[in-house]
Each structure stands twice: as C-alpha cells, then as structure tokens.
Amino acid sequence: MRILIGAVACAALSVPVSAQQVTGRPAGNFRLTDADGKVVTLSQFRGRPVVLEWNNPGCPFVKKHYDSGNMQRTQAEAKRMGAVWLTVNSGAPGKQGHMTGAEAKGFVATAKAQPTAYLLDPAGRVGRGYAARTTPHMYLIDGKGTLVYQGGIDDRPTADAADIKGARNHVLAALGEVKAGKPVSVAETKPYGCSVKYAS
Amino acid sequence: MLLTLAAALCAPASAQMVQGQPTGRHLTLDLVPESATPAAGSRVTVALSGTLAKGWHAYWKNGGDAGIETRLDWTLPVGVKAGELRYPVPQRLLIAGLMNYVYEAPFALFVDLDVPAGLAPGTRLPVRVKADYLVCTEEICVPEQAELATELVVGDGAVVPATRARFDAWRAAFPRPLGSVGRFELAGGRFRMAVPFPASATVPGEGGYFYPLTSGAIDYAAPQRVVRDGDRLVVETKAATAAQAPTTVEGVLSLEPGRGFAARAEPGQVAALPAQEAGPALGGAIALALLGAVLGGLLLNVMPCVFPILSLKALSLARGGGAGEREARREALAYTAGVVLVCVALGAVLLAVRAGGSAAGWAFQLQDPRVIAALLVLVTAIALNLAGLFEVPTPAWAGERGGTGGAFATGALAAFVATPCSGPFMGAALGAALVLPAAAAMAVFAGLGLGIALPFLLLGFVPALRRRLPRPGPWLGTARRVLSVPMFLTALALVWVLARQAGADGTVLGLGAAMVLALALWWAGRRQERGLNRAWWPVLPAALVAVAALLPVRPEARAADIAGLAGGEAFTEARLATLRAEKRPVFAYFTADWCLTCKVNEKAAIETDAVAAAFRRANVAVLVGDWTDGDPAMGRFIERHNRAGVPLYLWYAPGRDGQLLPQLLTPSMLTALTEERAG
C-alpha cells in the first residue's frame, strides 16, 4: 500500500512522462519510495554526484554484473569517490523483476549490493521520465544536478561475465572525470541489456 | 538463492522457465553452406538458419531500445576467412513503449567464407562457429550460445537445387543497396532523411519504415512517416536526444514486410514534411508554396502556351476600353473565376488520381491524346475565328466577345492550356502541393490560377491602367487577324504533340476532325455574311462528327521505351554465354525501377542516339537485366562482380573477359568501347 502511495507521489515529479533527459542539462528531479518505504528525492543529494542504476534481478545482463561482483565493486568504488548510488526498479507488478520492498531488501542482502537506496518505481514514471530502456541502464548526475552520463555500464554489450575483464567501465570513468573537474569524455553510449519491463 | 527469488517473482506464464537455466534453446540454429563443395579461390555463402520457439524473438544487428547483436567466434582452417555477419530485414516489436527490432519468424543470417586458391579438390575444410545471441519473450530475456559445425569439401562449387531454392528465398529478405546516398537533417527535435528513389518506381502501399543501424539518430519507439516526394522518399520521425549528432546515418528502408533497401545518408538539408496537423511550420510552408504559385501563375502569362489565349482576352479588353467601370470589374472577376476554378478542378482531379495510387503528375490531362486532339480542334476554331472566317454570335461560348460568360470561358481555357507550361517553372510549388494536406494543396492550385488572372484583374479594377490601353479603332481588326497567327502556331504545336503521342493514325483523326469543323465554320461564316437566320446549324453536325472522330484516338504503343535500348533483350546467363560464343561484343546492364543512378545513366548515356548508332555499327548485343523485383539468379550474378546491387555495367569484347564499367556512364565512354574494338 505504501508503495502505491509512493507511486502516486511520483505523479508530482517535475519530469514529464516519457521525456528523455538531455546530457549536459539539469536532470529531472523525482520522488520515489525506497525498499524501507522511505521517500527519497533526487534533489536531497544536491552537492554530491548521483549514480542511477536500472535494475531487474531476473535479467541475464544484470546477473552478468551482479553474479560476477562487478556491479557491487562499481558501487563500492563510486561510494568511495563520494557518490550516491540509487538503484531503481521500474518493473511493473506481474512482470519479470518486479519487487516489493521486502523482496528488494532480500535481493540487496543476498547480492551483497551496496546502493545508497533501492527505489521502487512500479508505475514506471521515473523510468520513462529518464527514458530508461534496458537493465542495466546507467546515469551519472554531477553535484550541480547536471546529467553528465547516460548509457551502458561498460563497452562490452554481452551477457558473458568473461567480457567484464578489460572492459571500460563508463560510470567509474565518468565519475573519475567529474571528481577531477574535467568534462566527461564519453557522455553517452547505447545502453545494453533486457528491455525494462514497464507496465503496458 | 537468487534463482529461487527470481523464479518466485515470475509471472505464472514464464514460471516453468528457470531463469538463466534454459530447459532447451529457444532459437534453433543451423549452419547451411550454399555449396558444400566450393571451388578453391571462390567465395561461398554460409547461412545461420534460425527457427524460434513460439513467443520468442531474436535481435537484428541494432536491437532498438534493448537487445544486443549476435557475435560469432569462428574456428576455421588455415586460409579460410569469414566475412561480416549480414542480417535480413527485421520486423518491429513494440513492448510497453520500447522498440525492439527482431525476428519472430524463421530467418537466416549470412556470412561469406573465402576459400583460398590452390587447394586440391577433395580437401576437407571443417568449419566451426560459436554464436552468442540474445532471445527474449515479451517478459524475459535469455542469452544463449550455440556451437555449430559443418564440413566443406573443395570441389566444383555446385549448388544442390533444393539448397539453391532455400538461399533464394532467404536472399529475398536481405536489403538491397540503393546505390545513391541520401541526406538527413536533425532539426527542431525531428529527424528527416531523403533517399533518392525514382518517381517511376512504385511504392507498395503505406507502412514504410526506416530501421536505423546508426544509434543516436532517431527515437526508435516514435512513429515514422515515409512519404513519396517526387524522386525521393522522405522519412520523418522524432530525433534521438543525443548529445552528438551522427555524421552519417545508415540503415534499412523497408517498404513492405521482409523486404528492404540498404540506405545511407549524409548531413544536408531536407525540407520538412507537412504535418498532418497544421502547425506553425506548416503554415509557413503553405504560405511559401502559395506565394510561389501566384508568382509562377503571373509568369505563365508570357509563356508560349498561354499567350495566344491571352491575346483573346487582350482584344476584348482593348475593345471594351471605354466600357463602364462595373462591367470591366465584372469581366475581370469572371475571367479570374474561370482560371481559378479550372486550376482547382485540375488539382482536385490530380489529388484524387494520386490518392488512387497512380503516379500522375501535373499536366496529366495533356498526356491523354484525346485531350490533345480536342484542344487541336478547339484552337483551330479559335484561330479561324480570329482570322475572320466567322463571327461568334452573342450567346458566346468563348472568344473575343465581351460579356461575363465569355470572360469566364476564356479564363477556363487559359488555365487548361497553361498547365503544361507550368511544369518546369512551378515544379517546386506544385510538388509541395502534392504532399500537403488536400485543403492546403487546393489553396496552392487556386493561387496558381490567381497568378494567371492577376494582370487582367488589375486592369479590371484599376481604371488608370485601363486608360493606358490603346483606344479601339480600325487597327483592332488588323490586330485580331495578326493574333490568329500565334493561334495557328499553337495548333501546329498540338499536332506535333499528338503525332508523338498517338502516331500517324491519331494525327490523321485529329486533323480530320479539325478539318470537318473548319469547313462547317467556314460555311457558317458565309451564311452569317449573307445575314441568314440560324446561320449556325452546319456547325452542330460537324462538331458531332469531330467528337466521334476523336474518340478512337489512342496512345501509340511505344515498343522502344518498354524494351529500353533498341535491340536490347532480357538478360540471362545462358544468353550471355551464347552471344559470347558467337564472338559478338556484348553490353550487359543491370537496372531497377527504384535505382535513380541507373535511370540517369540510361537517359544520359545508354539510350542516346550516338550510343545506339555506335552499337549498331559494331553489332553489339545489348542485354538488359531488370532487378526491380530482386531476381535471385540475377542477384548472384551481380554479386559475382563484387557489386552489392545495381547499377552494374559490363562490357564483353569478343573473346575476352567481361570488363566492369564505372557506375557513372557517358555516351563517349560507351562509343569508345566499340571503336576500341574496331581499331
């Protein structure tokens, strides 16, 4: 029930439905409830870089990065660099990967994931507002609230964990450049993975 | 742990599928060589033939909003090289607002293998490949892996008929290269791409779609419009909000399911398509087209085809120089109404005809020889009237007489005759009109009419202008007779057009009709001179005879046009072999209705008189391969010449191998080939 209320609260978000966020422009603010039922807004993290990760635990591409520990390592490294990590699940009820708050907490604990918060977006409003198309689909917002990266987690669009070694982790690379005060060299890539299982 | 959790979350429909642990593969792949016994030093196509379980789909090279491309890892004998993976035309699958470019029906991917030269026949070439691909349902995705193997034996390159048939069917689904590069423009959040596509080529129905290989160009899920615009196809859709615009856009333009053209476009300007709903941009486009139409119409007044008709009007104005203000205005308005109504009517018919799927163009009415013949008779009658052979009585149909009716009819005739002249000058405005919404298009046609009528409208409404016209006097009679000369010349021009369209028979019928009517008019004129009552009656039966004579006028079948180059015959490999065995020089060319470069070459080089004469002198046999429908046998022949598509030009000097000619031909290049042989 609380999730539903949270979802309704999303209706107040400033992002128009199904709009796409433009790299280099302010990222649209949003409000979602996390796995504990707490309301989280993007703007509350102003001043720190924020990583958004679209998640569906059932998707083989997500498994590639969680089962290998690559996503957890990326999360730890990002947080070490002072970033906030928000994992978002836009799977609709009844679709693959949809989770209740309790299930999400179970997933985070089992996978030893380290997001700052696991956000539930069952109505898909934030997902569509960011035009999140795949799981995973990654975004980086700098401390000023500007979207500086959107796309895939790395440059190896496969489901094979063996490809992680030697891949360029676009998120960590962009975060490193942001921390160093440099412009992000690779600001957009084509995300790869399963399609986000939105409500039809 | 994770597995049980995920499985528990699955919808009942997919619950029997354990995540990541497929109970069996959902895509069955087979490795099928076109020839199991390829010749050494040749290239053999190998198909990965795929069949999907029900409800599953595999991805195109660009999966759209999701998905990944298939990866192949080959294990090949030394010297054997695998080419790039080629994909057939995909289909669209929109799931919850996300676009997927997929295959659901059985499909085949192609790879070309190069077999090294110098291998002894009978050499075994084991071919193995590991394929990594993604298959999904609307709910879940599974990456799968398949290990495939086949063995080739170096031989004669023979293809089993059954395999040939399978490959022919698969090949039909592969995009054919369009040959000419298009243009694309990203502006105002819209993506527009114009691809050269000959106006003569038919576009099968609605529902064209551009599958982009280039990412960052279009929003995959947005609806597309594919519209025919003259000799281009224009694709318009929502642009992707990418930070960097692509420098080139590639993809597959599909006009019917499972068929497509490989298209490439470079940055350039592409005029906006008129939106279905009128927006500010559309308003601007209409205003511009309208302005162009009015100016063009104005210009038409000095064109040779309208000028004689206008001379009628000029005469009547000169005569009515002293007429009342109100009458002058009324006549000017009637004339304008005549012009505008005919323009709008012609436009309406044109739009209706086009809506019916025909590729009719402006001035279509003059493509019917019966209309030409009728105009010939009419123009002859007017010329005779101007020459003074007879007078038109008061309830005038048309002519130099004043009166609202006469003015209206003159205007109508002027507009009808003006259309062929308008082509070259008005092409752009009218082209725009044809893709505008119907109401806006009609406004453009009306604008054209207004332009034609404008000078007379001004004369009618500005007395000062009218006063500057010369006063009526005896000179008028002379002027009238002089003006009959351009009218007779117009008749002569129409005879020429008629002869071109309908041949000798049609010309004789048209001239006969004109003569019968002329005789009747002459007779009527004599009766008028004697002041007889009902001096007009001989004209009626004569007019009926004339109409009856015109009805059987038919366009002459023009064999030369259909066969392309005179003496050209359909290409087959067998025929080519025969001709070469006869030691005849052979020019073989491959063309398609949708290939603009081909059409340009044919008009500018191949079908010129100089080339025809040179070919005749040298006894050159011409073979024409029409690849419009993508004939697979011809496709293989083209591929063997390292061309992915048309145009392809080959020259076979007697006793020598074929010579590949450039894709842009000139007449001198072709005539030089024949002289080379002579010398």
PDB file of all heavy atoms in Angstrom, chain A residues 101-112:
ATOM      1  N   GLY A 101       9.031  -4.085  -1.430  1.00  0.00           N
ATOM      2  CA  GLY A 101      10.118  -3.573  -0.599  1.00  0.00           C
ATOM      3  C   GLY A 101      10.896  -4.697   0.075  1.00  0.00           C
ATOM      4  O   GLY A 101      12.126  -4.719   0.071  1.00  0.00           O
ATOM      5  N   ALA A 102      10.162  -5.685   0.627  1.00  0.00           N
ATOM      6  CA  ALA A 102      10.811  -6.783   1.344  1.00  0.00           C
ATOM      7  C   ALA A 102      11.679  -7.604   0.393  1.00  0.00           C
ATOM      8  O   ALA A 102      12.809  -7.979   0.710  1.00  0.00           O
ATOM      9  CB  ALA A 102       9.758  -7.657   2.004  1.00  0.00           C
ATOM     10  N   GLU A 103      11.139  -7.845  -0.804  1.00  0.00           N
ATOM     11  CA  GLU A 103      11.900  -8.632  -1.775  1.00  0.00           C
ATOM     12  C   GLU A 103      13.164  -7.880  -2.194  1.00  0.00           C
ATOM     13  O   GLU A 103      14.231  -8.459  -2.379  1.00  0.00           O
ATOM     14  CB  GLU A 103      11.031  -8.925  -3.004  1.00  0.00           C
ATOM     15  CG  GLU A 103       9.962  -9.983  -2.733  1.00  0.00           C
ATOM     16  CD  GLU A 103       8.833  -9.959  -3.755  1.00  0.00           C
ATOM     17  OE1 GLU A 103       8.714  -8.967  -4.507  1.00  0.00           O
ATOM     18  OE2 GLU A 103       8.090 -10.957  -3.797  1.00  0.00           O
ATOM     19  N   ALA A 104      13.031  -6.579  -2.341  1.00  0.00           N
ATOM     20  CA  ALA A 104      14.180  -5.770  -2.737  1.00  0.00           C
ATOM     21  C   ALA A 104      15.264  -5.828  -1.675  1.00  0.00           C
ATOM     22  O   ALA A 104      16.451  -5.964  -1.976  1.00  0.00           O
ATOM     23  CB  ALA A 104      13.745  -4.326  -2.980  1.00  0.00           C
ATOM     24  N   LYS A 105      14.835  -5.759  -0.415  1.00  0.00           N
ATOM     25  CA  LYS A 105      15.819  -5.839   0.671  1.00  0.00           C
ATOM     26  C   LYS A 105      16.503  -7.186   0.659  1.00  0.00           C
ATOM     27  O   LYS A 105      17.722  -7.297   0.873  1.00  0.00           O
ATOM     28  CB  LYS A 105      15.140  -5.592   2.022  1.00  0.00           C
ATOM     29  CG  LYS A 105      14.919  -4.103   2.276  1.00  0.00           C
ATOM     30  CD  LYS A 105      13.888  -3.851   3.343  1.00  0.00           C
ATOM     31  CE  LYS A 105      14.463  -3.982   4.755  1.00  0.00           C
ATOM     32  NZ  LYS A 105      13.441  -3.559   5.755  1.00  0.00           N
ATOM     33  N   GLY A 106      15.722  -8.235   0.364  1.00  0.00           N
ATOM     34  CA  GLY A 106      16.289  -9.585   0.270  1.00  0.00           C
ATOM     35  C   GLY A 106      17.322  -9.648  -0.846  1.00  0.00           C
ATOM     36  O   GLY A 106      18.408 -10.218  -0.672  1.00  0.00           O
ATOM     37  N   PHE A 107      16.993  -9.039  -1.979  1.00  0.00           N
ATOM     38  CA  PHE A 107      17.921  -9.060  -3.123  1.00  0.00           C
ATOM     39  C   PHE A 107      19.230  -8.350  -2.771  1.00  0.00           C
ATOM     40  O   PHE A 107      20.327  -8.864  -3.014  1.00  0.00           O
ATOM     41  CB  PHE A 107      17.267  -8.404  -4.340  1.00  0.00           C
ATOM     42  CG  PHE A 107      18.265  -8.028  -5.400  1.00  0.00           C
ATOM     43  CD1 PHE A 107      18.855  -8.998  -6.208  1.00  0.00           C
ATOM     44  CD2 PHE A 107      18.626  -6.694  -5.596  1.00  0.00           C
ATOM     45  CE1 PHE A 107      19.779  -8.649  -7.176  1.00  0.00           C
ATOM     46  CE2 PHE A 107      19.552  -6.345  -6.556  1.00  0.00           C
ATOM     47  CZ  PHE A 107      20.136  -7.325  -7.350  1.00  0.00           C
ATOM     48  N   VAL A 108      19.101  -7.176  -2.135  1.00  0.00           N
ATOM     49  CA  VAL A 108      20.294  -6.387  -1.799  1.00  0.00           C
ATOM     50  C   VAL A 108      21.181  -7.173  -0.829  1.00  0.00           C
ATOM     51  O   VAL A 108      22.397  -7.252  -1.012  1.00  0.00           O
ATOM     52  CB  VAL A 108      19.879  -5.021  -1.200  1.00  0.00           C
ATOM     53  CG1 VAL A 108      21.076  -4.313  -0.589  1.00  0.00           C
ATOM     54  CG2 VAL A 108      19.222  -4.151  -2.271  1.00  0.00           C
ATOM     55  N   ALA A 109      20.518  -7.819   0.171  1.00  0.00           N
ATOM     56  CA  ALA A 109      21.286  -8.563   1.165  1.00  0.00           C
ATOM     57  C   ALA A 109      21.972  -9.768   0.519  1.00  0.00           C
ATOM     58  O   ALA A 109      23.165  -9.999   0.717  1.00  0.00           O
ATOM     59  CB  ALA A 109      20.365  -9.013   2.294  1.00  0.00           C
ATOM     60  N   THR A 110      21.223 -10.519  -0.282  1.00  0.00           N
ATOM     61  CA  THR A 110      21.777 -11.722  -0.901  1.00  0.00           C
ATOM     62  C   THR A 110      22.932 -11.386  -1.832  1.00  0.00           C
ATOM     63  O   THR A 110      23.958 -12.071  -1.842  1.00  0.00           O
ATOM     64  CB  THR A 110      20.682 -12.445  -1.711  1.00  0.00           C
ATOM     65  OG1 THR A 110      19.524 -12.516  -0.904  1.00  0.00           O
ATOM     66  CG2 THR A 110      21.136 -13.843  -2.089  1.00  0.00           C
ATOM     67  N   ALA A 111      22.741 -10.337  -2.620  1.00  0.00           N
ATOM     68  CA  ALA A 111      23.749  -9.995  -3.620  1.00  0.00           C
ATOM     69  C   ALA A 111      24.906  -9.214  -3.004  1.00  0.00           C
ATOM     70  O   ALA A 111      25.873  -8.918  -3.699  1.00  0.00           O
ATOM     71  CB  ALA A 111      23.100  -9.186  -4.746  1.00  0.00           C
ATOM     72  N   LYS A 112      24.772  -8.885  -1.729  1.00  0.00           N
ATOM     73  CA  LYS A 112      25.776  -8.040  -1.059  1.00  0.00           C
ATOM     74  C   LYS A 112      25.976  -6.750  -1.836  1.00  0.00           C
ATOM     75  O   LYS A 112      27.095  -6.263  -2.027  1.00  0.00           O
ATOM     76  CB  LYS A 112      27.107  -8.775  -0.899  1.00  0.00           C
ATOM     77  CG  LYS A 112      26.989 -10.039  -0.027  1.00  0.00           C
ATOM     78  CD  LYS A 112      28.382 -10.503   0.388  1.00  0.00           C
ATOM     79  CE  LYS A 112      28.329 -11.672   1.363  1.00  0.00           C
ATOM     80  NZ  LYS A 112      27.685 -12.883   0.784  1.00  0.00           N
TER      81      LYS A 112
END
